Amino acid sequence: MSVKPSSRAITVLDLQRMREQGKPISMLTAYDYPTAKMADAAGIPILLVGDSLGMVVLGYDSTVPVTVDDMIHHGKAVVRGAQRAHVVVDMPFGSYQTGWQDALRNATRIMQETGCGSVKLEGGERSAETVRHLVDAGIPVMGHIGLTPQSVNAFGGFKVQGKTPREAVHLIQDAKALAEAGAYAIVLELVPTALAHMITQRVSVPTIGIGAGPFCSGQVQVVHDILGMYDDINPKHARRFGEIGDATRAAMTAYREAVEAGTFPAAAESFYMDEHALELIRAMTPSAEQDMSEAERVLRDLEDAPTRSE
Ligand code: KIV
């Protein structure tokens, strides 16, 4: 088990302070050590090891197949890369829906084995009791309502939630139930801007929007989306702040072409050895066409000859 001290520089209390000061909170997903290191260096205060890793890293169609072991594996890497950021790890499908006892067992494993600062789980009123038990056990919990991807099969696709008055009132109740249960922040995913604004005004904890407009306390995005990693994944709510997919493909093509043309590696990218040692190796390992007795003679001569340091 590789666990870093859980006293990370940014805590859930800092996030609450940012909300009170009206300082927008940026949160980004990270699934591995290098991304966590770069996001941390970029000053991102919260890194989410989202179960979206199932789709953007593991190649599944949804987040449903992701396991607790997957989350722990990736969570550990992100914690190792983050010096300052608060790391929150998603509880995957099936790890908390079967009751708060299972949730507590799985959340405890995730916290202990990754060294992360908190966990996130989906659902409003239906998850409130579970949130309460985790919080009572000392586990900070981030909630997640609106479009909750683990229920994508029930929603019939990735659709905006809360567009009708009934659904909207329900979402406000969900947010309040989570805040009352002790969630330290709530993700609002694919919620109309005006409704996300109303929820943000009605709860006492930070709201973190994704496809929920600019009036949340903060924003979260999937790192692959903002980096422009995929041509075929372009959610409306995301902005491509870079074109890393194109840059990566161009670099890989250039590498292949250089290998095929024999221009890589060049002398400056190669290593050299002492001529004396080289001769000794040639003598000890004659090539097929070399005469063994000649090789033995060279070896004897070399052994008799004074070495460079003598
Ligand atoms: O898994 C994830 O990346 C998430 C974000 C979309 C909030 O839950």
Side-chain angles (χ1 to χ4, degrees):
M1 185 166 46
S2 73
V3 178
K4 274 183 159 181
S6 62
S7 59
R8 314 206 64 82
I10 292 182
T11 69
V12 297
L13 298 181
D14 296 317
L15 303 174
Q16 178 62 14
R17 239 186 316 273
M18 286 171 80
R19 172 192 168 273
E20 283 160 8
Q21 292 166 354
K23 191 167 177 216
I25 302 165
S26 56
M27 170 162 137
L28 193 59
T29 66
Y31 314 102
D32 56 34
Y33 174 80
T35 309
K37 249 178 113 72
M38 286 187 278
D40 200 63
I44 306 284
I46 319 183
L47 297 182
L48 168 65
V49 187
D51 59 354
S52 51
L53 73 87
M55 299 173 78
V56 293
V57 175
L58 302 179
Y60 297 131
D61 284 343
S62 76
T63 60
V64 171
V66 177
T67 65
V68 172
D69 286 344
D70 290 333
M71 297 311 303
I72 289 174
H73 179 72
H74 289 268
K76 280 177 174 177
V78 171
V79 168
R80 283 193 289 265
Q83 294 302 311
R84 178 178 165 272
H86 178 88
V87 178
V88 49
V89 175
D90 253 339
M91 298 196 66
F93 182 66
S95 69
Y96 60 95
Q97 290 89 342
T98 49
W100 66 263
Q101 291 90 342
D102 285 345
L104 187 54
R105 193 173 314 111
N106 286 316
T108 302
R109 254 197 87 197
I110 290 171
M111 296 288 292
Q112 278 186 328
E113 294 183 36
T114 65
C116 69
S118 63
V119 297
K120 175 166 86 57
L121 53 79
E122 297 181 2
E125 283 185 307
R126 69 180 158 91
S127 297
E129 189 198 358
T130 297
V131 171
R132 161 96 47 220
H133 280 284
L134 300 197
V135 171
D136 283 351
I139 300 173
V141 181
M142 180 181 280
H144 183 161
I145 58 174
L147 187 284
T148 45
Q150 291 172 14
S151 308
V152 67
N153 293 319
F155 288 131
F158 291 88
K159 295 178 185 159
V160 176
Q161 303 295 306
K163 284 168 105 171
T164 67
R166 183 187 293 273
E167 279 178 9
V169 169
H170 224 134
L171 275 181
I172 293 171
Q173 284 166 349
D174 278 340
K176 284 186 168 172
L178 287 173
E180 277 160 23
Y184 73 87
I186 303 169
V187 168
L188 307 179
E189 181 165 354
L190 292 193
V191 174
T193 298
L195 176 59
H197 193 190
M198 287 172 79
I199 293 173
T200 301
Q201 289 172 324
R202 282 164 173 70
V203 293
S204 54
V205 297
T207 56
I208 313 284
I210 173 165
F215 304 117
C216 299
S217 321
Q219 300 292 326
V220 56
Q221 287 289 314
V222 170
V223 65
H224 291 63
D225 293 341
I226 66 147
L227 294 183
M229 290 284 272
Y230 290 112
D231 284 342
D232 53 344
I233 305 181
N234 258 320
K236 173 177 156 68
H237 60 70
R239 185 183 301 172
R240 295 169 82 98
F241 288 87
E243 287 299 338
I244 305 305
D246 283 349
T248 304
R249 277 185 293 276
M252 289 173 174
T253 304
Y255 163 70
R256 177 185 56 73
E257 286 172 353
V259 170
E260 288 171 5
T263 58
F264 177 84
E269 290 143 346
S270 306
F271 301 91
Y272 298 93
M273 64 189 295
D274 190 275
E275 270 303 319
H276 178 74
L278 203 52
E279 219 177 314
L280 190 56
I281 294 165
R282 282 200 195 100
M284 291 165 73
T285 57
S287 59
E289 64 273 13
Q290 257 183 298
D291 182 342
M292 262 315 277
S293 58
E294 170 62 7
E296 274 160 18
R297 188 191 63 73
V298 173
L299 187 52
R300 249 194 331 274
D301 286 355
L302 280 167
E303 277 165 355
D304 290 347
T307 63
R308 279 184 175 193
S309 58
E310 279 171 336

